[in-house]
Amino acid sequence: MNLGRFPRVRFAHLPTPLEHMPNLSRHLGGPELWIKRDDCTGMSTGGNKTRKLEFLMAEARDQGADIVLTQGATQSNHARQTAAFAARMGIACHILLEDRTGKTDPDYTTNGNVLLDFLHGASVEHRPANPDMNGEMTKVAERMKAEGRKPYAIPGGGSNPTGALGYVNAAIELVTQANDMGLRIDHVVHATGSAGTQAGLVAGLCGINSGVPLLGIGVRAPKDRQEENVYKLAALTAEKCGCPGAVKREDVVANCDYVGKGYGFPGADTIAAIELLARTEAILLDPVYSGKGMAGLIDLCRKGFFKKGQNVVFLHTGGQAGLFGYADDFGYRNSKRLAA
Ligand SMILES: *Cc1c(COP(=O)(O)O)cnc(C)c1O
């Protein structure tokens, strides 16, 4: 797994900390809970897309791109981190934002990640909900080429074998940290969406024969489809790293019981998980991904799926900027807490 041979820009603050969560562990009374702080990757409030973009944006630079194109839902963390990379590299950035949720609250449509997209100087086009946003983006790329520009198109979530290299690297980083600390990791848990994070992690964890099991908590697709998407991308990623066949189908596990009303709609369990982490560990989760992932982890601890004496690492994939696009979902406006 010689990742040094792939072009990469180095903007991320790495390694991210691996920390114990004593208060949350005590509160739940189950396994010892640890957290890998990829919310602290450093680019424009951080998050998991930063690791992927180090490899993707190096490819854009090497291909002589003068504009990067990407797409995501309105409060896309990926779009925001792409805009930040482009700003730092002096490349233009154009974003297609998909109205995947139909939410009209002005915080959702203009605050949080959307505010940051504009702050970083990106241009934005809107699209109604569309299952083929990558196809939509290809059309825009063709339009730009016809105008004489050199676009580099990054798929939603930065999830292709190049982007997933960032999480192959994260898997090696995590296992190395645990080795240094003398920590036996019994399970890694994280939120899984466009699949690149889980695909890279599983390729890395299998490629180095770590024996560490991984569980993705789904935020959108049903289990079968999510696992299939992750497995396909993991196989391509392992091949790219020189470990073809390293990932077996059964290494890819997703639990999609915590999607709730659908992508971008935090349920009561997600809001409760965000509040619990903020109040026990002073860690900020997000309403679309890491909050749902943590809601899943909390429920699995309560049900005894993870046991006392085990060490479970939650990969914090970031997304806090999204909190400000979802203020309305917390019900603090007109709350008695204000007067108390
Ligand atoms: C994109 C994202 C995820 C999911 O990662 P994928 O690689 O798309 O599966 C999880 N958490 C946050 C905060 C994200 O922005």
Side-chain angles (χ1 to χ4, degrees), residues 137-176:
M137 187 171 64
T138 307
K139 282 190 226 159
V140 176
E142 292 308 321
R143 187 183 80 200
M144 287 179 169
K145 280 183 201 157
E147 291 164 0
R149 301 212 66 168
K150 288 187 178 163
Y152 178 85
I154 300 177
S159 287
N160 62 17
T162 300
L165 290 175
Y167 273 89
V168 175
N169 188 47
I172 297 170
E173 180 183 301
L174 172 63
V175 171
T176 304

Side-chain angles (χ1 to χ4, degrees), residues 48-49 52 77-78 157 159 191-197 286 289-290 317-319:
N48 63 339
K49 304 314 181 302
K52 302 179 184 182
N77 301 301
H78 163 68
S159 287
T192 182
S194 67
T197 301
D286 85 280
Y289 296 97
S290 54
T317 42

Side-chain angles (χ1 to χ4, degrees), residues 72-216:
T74 304
Q75 282 293 334
S76 168
N77 301 301
H78 163 68
R80 177 252 309 163
Q81 286 163 86
T82 304
F85 268 74
R88 193 146 158 196
M89 294 171 73
I91 299 176
C93 179
H94 187 67
I95 299 168
L96 298 191
L97 287 183
E98 178 196 4
D99 181 16
R100 202 180 288 170
T101 62
K103 279 172 172 275
T104 55
D105 172 12
D107 275 340
Y108 182 79
T109 55
T110 63
N111 203 342
N113 284 295
V114 182
L115 174 71
L116 300 183
D117 295 340
F118 284 110
L119 263 185
H120 291 303
S123 54
V124 170
E125 263 182 75
H126 294 274
R127 290 287 185 279
N130 180 347
D132 185 25
M133 281 298 290
N134 282 334
E136 222 23 59
M137 187 171 64
T138 307
K139 282 190 226 159
V140 176
E142 292 308 321
R143 187 183 80 200
M144 287 179 169
K145 280 183 201 157
E147 291 164 0
R149 301 212 66 168
K150 288 187 178 163
Y152 178 85
I154 300 177
S159 287
N160 62 17
T162 300
L165 290 175
Y167 273 89
V168 175
N169 188 47
I172 297 170
E173 180 183 301
L174 172 63
V175 171
T176 304
Q177 277 172 319
N179 288 349
D180 289 348
M181 292 161 68
L183 176 70
R184 184 198 71 242
I185 301 178
D186 294 302
H187 230 109
V188 175
V189 178
H190 69 98
T192 182
S194 67
T197 301
Q198 190 170 3
L201 283 174
V202 77
L205 291 171
C206 292
I208 60 171
N209 284 315
S210 68
V212 174
L214 180 66
L215 174 64

